[in-house]
Amino acid sequence: MTDIKDILFAFSEEIRLRIILLLRNSILCVNCLTESLALPQPTISRHLAILRRTGVAEMGKDKLHCYYTLNKKDPFGLLKKGITKTFYNALKRIEPFKGDFKRLRAVEKKCNARCKVRI
Ligand SMILES: [Zn+2]
């Protein structure tokens, strides 16, 4: 079970915060996350594993792709409306977050998975 220390740990690393903000209203495949963050895929996968383990993110699958979202159960009601909204509003216009959203808008157009992007 997720406790508040897990949530705080998940938010305590810049790469994980960048992933969390990209997933805030979206459902994204690993490829879209990797291209949006412009970081090596193993790095993204390592942080996605931590986000899953801490109960912040969850993964779904179809035949070809794995998709990530924030945990729909939203432990403590923090993820969609609370902390993430505050971080998003504070950080969306500064780098590296600004670049992440710009790259996501470009990458979603060529993604052939069924990602749902809402920025
Ligand atoms: Zn995608």
Side-chain angles (χ1 to χ4, degrees), residues 27-34 65-68 111 113-115:
I27 301 170
L28 300 177
C29 67
V30 175
N31 188 52
C32 279
L33 282 167
T34 302
H65 301 94
C66 295
Y67 299 91
Y68 288 85
C111 174
R114 288 184 286 177
C115 293

Side-chain angles (χ1 to χ4, degrees), residues 40-116:
Q41 199 250 314
T43 303
I44 306 298
S45 292
R46 184 161 45 86
H47 287 289
L48 283 170
I50 293 169
L51 290 174
R52 287 177 68 196
R53 196 166 65 234
T54 54
V56 169
E58 57 189 14
M59 186 186 79
K61 280 183 183 177
D62 65 19
K63 284 182 187 166
L64 297 172
H65 301 94
C66 295
Y67 299 91
Y68 288 85
T69 63
L70 294 185
N71 186 342
K72 291 179 197 72
K73 292 192 195 97
D74 199 355
F76 311 106
L78 292 170
L79 298 179
K80 295 225 166 155
K81 292 182 181 164
I83 293 176
T84 59
K85 187 174 181 184
T86 303
F87 274 114
Y88 176 78
N89 286 332
L91 300 171
K92 65 185 175 187
R93 289 187 190 85
I94 63 166
E95 297 297 348
F97 304 93
K98 183 180 172 185
D100 293 343
F101 291 111
K102 187 178 173 191
R103 285 185 294 272
L104 178 58
R105 284 187 202 99
V107 79
E108 81 164 304
K109 293 183 181 111
K110 57 181 183 161
C111 174
N112 49 24
R114 288 184 286 177
C115 293
K116 292 186 176 69

